[in-house]
Amino acid sequence: MNMPLPPAEELALIDRELAQLDARRGYLLDRRAWLLQLAAPSAALSGMPVTPPVRAAEASGRGAQNVLLTLGAVLLAVAALAFTLVSWGSLGIGGRSAVLGVVTGAALGAPALLLRRGLRSTAESVAAVGLLLTVLDAYAVHAVALPGSGGAGYAAAASAVLAVVWAVYAVALPGLVVPAAGAVLAAQLPLPLAALAADRGPVGLGWALLGTAVLDCVLAVSGGFAARLWPRAARTVPAVWVLAAVCGAGALLCALPELLTAATAAGAVDPALLAAGCAALGVAVAWRVPAASGAALAGGLAAVAAFAGPVRPELATGWTVVVCLLLALPLLGAAAVAALPAAVRHGLGRAGAVVSAGAAVWGLASTLGPLLSRVAVAREAWTPAVPAGVAASGPGTPAVATLLIAALAAWCAARLLPPSRPGGTVTAAAGPDGVGTGTAGAGVSGAAAARAVAVVCGWAGLFTAPMGRGLPVTLVLGAQLAVTAAAAAVALRTATGAGNPAGTGVTGTTGAAGTASSSDAAGAGVAAGGVGRVAAVCAAAGAVDVALAALDGRWATFAVFGLLGAGASAAARHRSAPADLRAGAAVCAVGFAAATVAAVCALAGLAGAWWALPLLAVAAAPVAAGPRWGRVRTATEAAGAGVGAVALAVAGRDPAVLSLACALAAVVCAGAAVRPERRRLGWAAAVLGVAAAWLRLWVSGVTVTEAYTLPVTVASLAVGLLRRRRDPETSSWTAYGPGLAATLLPGLVEAWQDPYWLRPLLLGAAALAVTLVGAHRRLQAPLLLGGGVLAAVALHELAPYVVQVVGVLPRWLPPALAGLLLLVVGATYEKRLRDARRLRAALGRFR
């Protein structure tokens, strides 16, 4: 160890030693196992402890015990059933009673002895068998003593007796859980079975289920008192709550179909009373249990059904929805009553919100048809006969009333909910009513959502209110324009307040009641921004719908389009509004301007293809006034580009007009490309310019290829020359390659197919000139392209003579010449390589 070894040798030494240690360990382990086998008998005689190998248990002792006990209880239950159903008839009445009495008594008495010895699991299994035997006893009594009694009625009485017996048994043996659970389950049956036996119908069954749910709730609420008599009562409380919820839901489900199918108000009274009982039970549970807000939610919904059910047969469907919405308003108001427990307030408020949301959805769905029907006017624009029902269609009065009431309710709810915060949850200390952080956090998103719902419902109700009322079209359009302007004003106002909210960054504290005591202006600004955007969407939808409706008349079209365009332009120039809203308004302004120009063209009687030129003027306006639009310049120019695309599509009906339109569009793109940030539009200008030239040539009947390619080459070479002047390091392939290839390559293809001499001569002369210029300026692209085309033209001209010469020569001469050439090249291979390197270096020095 004093003499350090090289790393490789030291690693090899360590590996050998480790291998020896592993081998020694394996030998010692085998030796130890053998010695344990030999020493076991002698150690047992001498009393010396021997440590056997330890193995992990595959199953716990308690798990094995539970499996065995469960299996034993199941086997005993099967045996009891087999005895009762198969062997019962072979015994007399005395024998039957004696056997059942002895077996049942033994099964019910054995758990007490087992509990004293600490065998609780065994006692639970035996007690389960005893409970099953009591059920068999009840069946035996019915089969022997009361064979003529009704099955449902006897089952109800028997289940009640069994529930009482099992409850007493559970109190007598408080260490067991199975008897109490069985008593609770048996208690669910007497009332429903009695209702079925009495044939009370769905309402009677519902009352029975409701009574059972009341008993379950009383049992669950009194769990603390029951624990004094029965220490394990707390374990069954969750199951009792579940049973109560199931029974209560069953009672409500029994009432709802009857309410929906009742033909008269008198026929709906009984199910309405049942629904009211369900509502009272739900609110009572939420009042007593702080965590049971779901019970209050179900109670609120049941209350709405109870009060709306009797009036439904007397009203139309729409007015029934209005009644449900009016009934939901007190539930929403209950959420703001501080005297009510928190669970009751939250549950009732959510129930009111659910009913209001359903009514609002129905109202919005009722307005979609009339709004979308105006699309048919666009197909019949400015025609004397409008399709029947289009102008006069509209949602019913109930739908409008529903939307307006829902908007009012949502706005009031938004005022009552806690304000929003940017971070989400309002941190608040819990107050006397238990309201804390979770309550405030729920109001964070709820307030903004309520405001948005209020805006949407209010806009839809006011916008569709004039439709279908027999009013003049002018009055209808005027009212809808006013609603659209109001929605836009709300959007600009709320979004402006959200752009720079007062108090941004202020951290508030909360008081004992769980509400923020400092300013929440920052969060309110964020919520207001969302509401503003929702209002902006409503305004845009209203503007489009009014514009479609205005196509019914000429002067209505110009008036509506002009007003909408002016309003959108004013909104786009609103300096304090957010950029996205201003951008949307700018797009709308450009769109309405284009629509107005199209209407003017239609009024003037222009052919469809010639509409493209005025539309291109609209597309050019945003480009000319781009800097004046400020932050929304991009959106405005994008809208202009869309109008330009529409103009080109319209001009496609006439190739001559399309050529002119492409030329004008190229001028617009070139003018926009002057600005540094729009340089890429130069490519669009070039493409449009080329397309315009080609279309003009095609319309004029020109078929010469060079007439199409030379303009492209000239323009491309001019651009390349300007670029080389700005950046001398630019490659000649980038600057001149595309332009030269645009003419030389198609011309070469045409020259090879041309049987005359003029085209090859002109192409060869042009290629020679390009080659000389490339050699003089030391440019790769002109030199190689020109030289390649010149060689190809020369080969084309010499090809007939070469064919003639080859036909005259002997057939053995070409292979001989090829072999001689290979010999010469091989002999001077090194010199040829040196010449190739020089040529490549010379070309590399070119640009």
Side-chain angles (χ1 to χ4, degrees), residues 111-294:
L113 299 177
L114 294 173
L115 287 176
R116 293 177 183 177
R117 296 180 176 273
L119 303 176
R120 191 173 62 83
S121 299
T122 306
E124 294 279 6
S125 301
V126 177
V129 174
L131 298 181
L132 177 61
L133 289 175
T134 58
V135 177
L136 297 178
D137 291 339
Y139 168 74
V141 171
H142 177 266
V144 175
L146 301 172
S149 61
Y154 179 80
S159 59
V161 173
L162 290 177
V164 174
V165 171
W166 292 352
V168 173
Y169 185 69
V171 174
L173 296 178
L176 299 179
V177 177
V178 172
V184 172
L185 290 176
Q188 311 302 310
L189 301 177
L191 293 179
L193 290 176
L196 292 176
D199 195 14
R200 296 295 184 181
V203 177
L205 179 60
W207 279 112
L209 291 173
L210 181 60
T212 305
V214 171
L215 295 178
D216 291 336
C217 292
V218 172
L219 180 61
V221 170
S222 61
F225 174 75
R228 299 177 183 176
L229 301 176
W230 176 43
R232 299 184 181 275
R235 294 189 177 185
T236 61
V237 171
V240 174
W241 280 121
V242 173
L243 292 173
V246 171
C247 292
L252 188 58
L253 290 178
C254 290
L256 291 179
E258 297 297 319
L259 288 173
L260 294 176
T261 58
T264 61
V269 171
D270 290 340
L273 292 176
L274 177 58
C278 296
L281 177 61
V283 175
V285 171
W287 198 294
R288 181 63 176 80
V289 182
S293 61

Side-chain angles (χ1 to χ4, degrees), residues 321-704:
V321 176
V322 175
V323 170
C324 292
L325 182 57
L326 292 175
L327 292 173
L329 297 182
L331 300 179
L332 292 173
V337 180
L340 296 177
V344 176
R345 289 191 286 110
H346 296 164
L348 294 180
R350 290 169 184 170
V354 169
V355 176
S356 301
V361 170
W362 176 84
L364 291 174
S366 300
T367 61
L368 286 180
L371 292 178
L372 295 178
S373 65
R374 287 181 168 178
V375 178
V377 180
R379 297 195 300 266
E380 304 291 340
W382 293 5
T383 56
V386 180
V390 173
S393 64
T397 303
V400 175
T402 298
L403 290 173
L404 296 179
I405 297 173
L408 180 61
W411 189 259
C412 294
R415 299 295 297 270
L416 295 176
L417 289 173
S420 303
R421 275 182 175 268
T425 302
V426 176
T427 304
D433 58 353
V435 183
T437 303
T439 302
V444 170
S445 58
R451 290 189 180 91
V453 170
V455 170
V456 173
C457 292
W459 168 80
L462 295 175
F463 190 84
T464 57
M467 301 174 64
R469 303 292 183 268
L471 300 176
V473 177
T474 304
L475 184 58
V476 173
L477 294 181
Q480 291 183 337
L481 283 175
V483 174
T484 302
V490 170
L492 293 176
R493 181 178 179 183
T494 55
T496 300
N500 185 19
T504 302
V506 177
T507 303
T509 58
T510 55
T515 57
S517 59
S518 65
S519 174
D520 290 311
V526 174
V531 174
R533 286 165 177 80
V534 171
V537 173
C538 293
V544 173
D545 201 70
V546 173
L548 290 175
L551 294 175
D552 187 25
R554 291 178 172 82
W555 299 115
T557 299
F558 290 108
V560 171
F561 283 8
L563 290 175
L564 291 176
S569 178
R573 302 182 70 85
H574 198 281
R575 297 294 182 182
S576 57
D580 55 349
L581 294 187
R582 293 182 58 195
V587 172
C588 292
V590 174
F592 284 119
T596 304
V597 169
V600 172
C601 294
L603 185 64
L606 291 178
W610 288 98
W611 290 18
L613 303 185
L615 289 177
L616 283 175
V618 176
V623 176
R628 298 181 181 180
W629 288 100
R631 294 184 298 171
V632 299
R633 180 178 62 181
T634 302
T636 308
E637 293 179 353
V643 174
V646 172
L648 294 179
V650 170
R653 302 177 181 179
D654 189 341
V657 179
L658 180 59
S659 172
L660 179 59
C662 288
L664 294 177
V667 173
V668 174
C669 292
V674 173
R675 297 197 298 269
E677 68 275 8
R678 296 290 186 266
R679 294 298 188 194
R680 294 184 178 180
L681 290 178
W683 293 101
V687 171
L688 290 171
V690 171
W694 287 358
L695 285 170
R696 174 49 58 188
L697 292 173
W698 179 58
V699 171
S700 301
V702 177
T703 58
V704 179

Side-chain angles (χ1 to χ4, degrees), residues 60-74 120-122 124-125:
S60 65
R62 182 172 295 275
Q65 176 189 12
N66 292 334
V67 171
L68 293 176
L69 293 176
T70 303
L71 181 61
V74 171
R120 191 173 62 83
S121 299
T122 306
E124 294 279 6
S125 301

